[in-house]
């Protein structure tokens, strides 16, 4: 069975938690896009693990794969491997495989990301991890790949070719051109350590599927941050939708059995860009404080707002979800009235689907319906009938309006705080 999980909003939907919950049923968990701009928090046995690169299934027996469509900062990966080892979780080459073609985030990518962002008149609010510039080099065919890191002469040959262009670009943006050749010794040392982890991800996954094994493709960021279909230019630099898992992991689309969308009971966004239902008031404060809505990667406060059905409907289309996981329902507890955005108003017209252009999305005025809230604590609920009637009505209405079954509901960060609906 091949399952894909993606975020249905702007990232931070709680994918890590859902992957962690499902991982015991899978033989392989694979990351297919993004890099350490992602941050997933897994809470298990009283310990909180904040991961950026290693797939969320790390605490189970599943084999973990980092696919060639990702961009990988080797220093961050080494930090994660040692943090996990300190907590008794050994990430050996039997446990983790990294595709030979995975793009490496070099120090110059990180410098260029920050320098370029500082010069933008309209900021994107990137995570400053060098993600966009690593992808630019992949598309521009100037990337450094995992295999290069493990082969000194290959890496040095490539850098010799690439460095003059990076020096010029960094200098033009007012940075230190020395960065273009910096950090190579450290990267080569890491390359030696990571060499045994190198694998052919597509080959491994296809073989596993032929043997009847279960493979879970774990998305990072969220649908509306997709480089093609998202709210450009306020997006990340990779394709975050489900189809990208097939292309990036090298698996045929006919192999896909389940596509799970993870969606919060409200909406958040970190960084710039349109967010029609944003609440810059006490409701936004409630969601941020109760939901712990601060970025895992950057610590930035997330922008918070009411559930946005037009955006959710677009996610259903873009991903073809077969079911959804609704997360953080408990965060809504204590609000007297819940507003649900069922459409937008733009230039006197009513819309039930987001306009294509970001500028237009930014001008949309949300149209809400009011729903009654609840005050009972739901964090101990173990099944759907355990939650108050108003909470059940909210979930059932979302399900009906999105037209996709909500299979899982999460009511807290812990492993036991998710039930099947
Ligand atoms: P980049 O991915 O660092 O280039 O950042 C581009 C945009 O995507 C910024 O608005 C980031 O805040 C956002 N972004 C990137 N990764 C994540 C994520 O994992 N969760 C939420 N937002 C993200």
């Amino acid at each position: 069975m091949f399952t894909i999980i993606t975020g249905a909003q702007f990232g931070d939907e709680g994918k890590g938690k859902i992957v962690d919950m499902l991982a015991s049923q899978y033989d392989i968990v694979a990351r297919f896009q993004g890099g350490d701009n992602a941050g997933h928090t897994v809470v298990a046995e009283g310990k909180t693990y904040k991961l950026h690169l290693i797939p969320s299934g790390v605490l189970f027996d599943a084999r973990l794969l980092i696919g060639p469509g990702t961009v990988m900062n080797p220093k961050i990966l080494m930090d994660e491997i040692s943090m996990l080892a300190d907590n008794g979780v050994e990430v050996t080459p039997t446990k983790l495989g990294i595709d030979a073609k995975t793009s490496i985030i070099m120090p110059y990518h990180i410098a260029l990301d920050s320098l370029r962002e500082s010069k933008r008149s309209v900021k994107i609010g990137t995570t400053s991890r060098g993600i966009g510039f690593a992808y630019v080099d992949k598309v521009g065919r100037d990337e450094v790949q995992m295999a290069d890191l493990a082969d000194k002469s290959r890496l040095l040959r490539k850098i010799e070719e690439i460095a003059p262009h990076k020096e010029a670009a960094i200098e033009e943006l007012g940075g230190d051109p020395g960065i273009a050749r910096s950090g190579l010794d450290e990267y080569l040392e890491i390359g030696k350590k990571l060499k045994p982890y190198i694998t052919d991800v597509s080959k491994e996954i296809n073989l596993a599927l032929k043997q009847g094994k279960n493979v879970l493709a774990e998305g990072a960021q969220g649908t509306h941050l997709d480089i093609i279909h998202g709210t450009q230019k306020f997006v990340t630099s990779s394709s975050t939708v489900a189809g990208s898992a097939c292309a990036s992991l090298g698996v045929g689309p006919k192999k896909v059995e389940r596509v799970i969308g993870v969606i919060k009971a409200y909406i958040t966004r970190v960084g710039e860009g349109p967010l029609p239902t944003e609440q810059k008031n006490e409701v936004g404060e409630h969601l941020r404080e109760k939901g712990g809505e601060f970025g895992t990667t950057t610590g930035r406060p997330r922008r918070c707002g009411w559930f946005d059905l037009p955006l959710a409907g677009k996610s259903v289309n873009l991903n073809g979800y077969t079911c959804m996981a609704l997360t953080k329902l408990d965060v809504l507890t204590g609000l007297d009235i819940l507003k649900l955005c069922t459409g937008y108003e733009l230039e006197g017209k009513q819309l039930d689907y987001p306009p294509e252009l970001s500028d237009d999305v930014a001008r949309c005025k949300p149209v809400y319906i009011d729903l009654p809230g609840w005050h009972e604590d739901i964090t101990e609920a173990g099944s759907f009938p355990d939650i108050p009637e108003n909470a059940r009505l909210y979930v059932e209405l979302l399900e009906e309006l999105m037209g996709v079954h909500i299979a899982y509901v999460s009511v807290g960060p812990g492993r036991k705080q998710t039930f099947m609906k």
Side-chain angles (χ1 to χ4, degrees):
M1 175 171 65
F2 185 48
T3 300
I4 303 170
I5 291 198
T6 66
Q9 293 160 321
F10 293 96
D12 310 313
E13 298 91 350
K15 294 177 291 295
K17 187 188 169 187
I18 303 299
V19 172
D20 177 74
M21 180 188 79
L22 296 176
S24 64
Q25 303 161 26
Y26 286 84
D27 301 288
I28 290 179
V29 179
R31 272 285 301 271
F32 60 92
Q33 45 71 229
D36 61 300
N37 48 348
H40 27 267
T41 306
V42 179
V43 181
E45 278 131 34
K47 281 188 188 161
T48 301
Y49 300 91
K50 288 189 188 288
L51 301 169
H52 299 281
L53 278 172
I54 294 188
S56 308
V58 64
L59 303 175
F60 290 89
D61 289 337
R63 168 126 169 106
L64 309 174
L65 295 175
I66 296 181
T70 59
V71 288
M72 196 260 281
N73 180 331
K75 283 163 68 170
I76 302 285
L77 182 66
M78 294 312 288
D79 287 349
E80 285 184 13
I81 291 176
S82 38
M83 180 274 286
L84 287 162
D86 292 346
N87 284 283
V89 183
E90 293 300 333
V91 183
T92 61
T94 318
K95 175 87 184 153
L96 173 71
I98 307 165
D99 197 276
K101 293 187 181 191
T102 298
S103 282
I104 299 299
I105 297 184
M106 302 297 290
Y108 51 76
H109 292 134
I110 299 169
L112 284 165
D113 191 356
S114 301
L115 287 166
R116 180 69 190 96
E117 181 74 351
S118 70
K119 297 274 193 269
R120 282 193 177 103
S121 51
V122 178
K123 311 260 181 240
I124 297 172
T126 74
T127 57
S128 307
R129 300 293 177 119
I131 306 297
F133 283 85
Y135 276 116
V136 164
D137 278 354
K138 182 184 263 309
V139 178
R141 288 146 297 174
D142 278 332
E143 71 185 326
V144 171
Q145 298 181 330
M146 181 61 229
D148 303 323
L149 213 60
D151 181 331
K152 186 173 179 181
S153 56
R154 269 172 71 131
L155 179 69
L156 296 182
R157 249 195 340 267
K158 270 205 175 166
I159 293 297
E160 214 36 60
E161 162 79 22
I162 298 167
H165 303 280
K166 300 301 169 197
E167 282 161 0
I170 292 172
E171 204 158 13
E172 198 189 321
L173 289 166
D176 169 12
I179 294 167
R181 293 171 198 266
S182 69
L184 293 181
D185 289 343
E186 191 181 3
Y187 269 44
L188 283 166
E189 272 312 302
I190 297 177
K192 272 188 215 155
K193 292 188 186 136
L194 291 182
K195 195 170 181 176
Y197 292 80
I198 296 178
T199 187
D200 180 336
V201 163
S202 168
K203 188 175 167 199
E204 266 203 47
I205 293 183
N206 280 290
L207 180 64
L209 291 172
K210 273 186 202 130
Q211 291 170 340
K213 292 186 178 165
N214 295 331
V215 179
L216 181 63
E218 172 184 355
Q221 291 82 48
T223 295
H224 300 294
L225 292 176
D226 183 89
I227 186 67
I228 298 170
H229 300 284
T231 53
Q232 292 109 329
K233 68 176 189 183
F234 311 100
V235 291
T236 192
S237 298
S238 61
S239 176
T240 57
V241 295
S244 157
C246 289
S248 302
L249 294 173
V251 182
K254 280 175 75 177
K255 298 274 165 47
V256 181
E257 250 174 71
R258 295 179 82 198
V259 186
I260 304 174
V262 185
I263 196 157
K264 265 185 219 183
Y266 49 98
I267 199 165
T268 63
R269 173 164 207 163
V270 56
E272 306 303 319
L275 186 64
T277 61
E278 182 168 12
Q279 298 298 301
K280 293 181 182 168
N281 53 25
E282 64 288 356
V283 170
E285 275 308 310
H286 170 107
L287 299 173
R288 188 173 308 109
E289 289 309 317
K290 247 193 123 184
E293 297 295 355
F294 298 88
T296 317
T297 303
T298 58
R300 290 180 288 181
R302 296 180 186 140
R303 299 155 62 197
C304 300
W306 297 115
F307 193 95
D308 185 321
L309 269 168
L311 284 177
K314 182 164 178 170
S315 294
V316 170
N317 277 357
L318 293 177
N319 292 279
Y321 291 133
T322 57
C323 73
M324 314 281 296
L326 184 73
T327 60
K328 293 195 150 182
L329 185 64
D330 56 301
V331 175
L332 297 181
T333 302
L335 293 167
D336 293 330
I337 300 286
L338 304 179
K339 287 189 177 288
L340 177 60
C341 167
T342 52
Y344 304 135
E345 201 184 287
L346 180 66
E347 293 167 355
K349 289 200 189 99
Q350 300 283 322
L351 308 177
D352 60 5
Y353 200 77
E356 262 214 286
L357 304 182
S358 291
D359 288 352
D360 293 337
V361 178
R363 291 189 300 122
C364 282
K365 299 260 172 306
V367 176
Y368 292 112
I369 55 169
D370 286 358
L371 299 166
W374 61 89
H375 289 267
E376 298 90 329
D377 177 18
I378 60 169
T379 56
E380 304 282 312
S383 69
F384 197 54
D386 287 351
I387 63 174
E389 191 186 359
N390 288 348
R392 288 201 303 274
L393 286 176
Y394 185 75
V395 176
E396 279 165 352
L397 189 61
L398 292 187
E399 187 166 50
E400 186 190 323
L401 295 175
M402 286 192 292
V404 183
H405 172 51
I406 293 177
Y408 310 95
V409 179
S410 135
V411 290
R415 264 190 178 162
K416 295 197 177 108
Q417 292 172 294
T418 306
F419 55 79
M420 284 186 78
K421 179 176 159 293

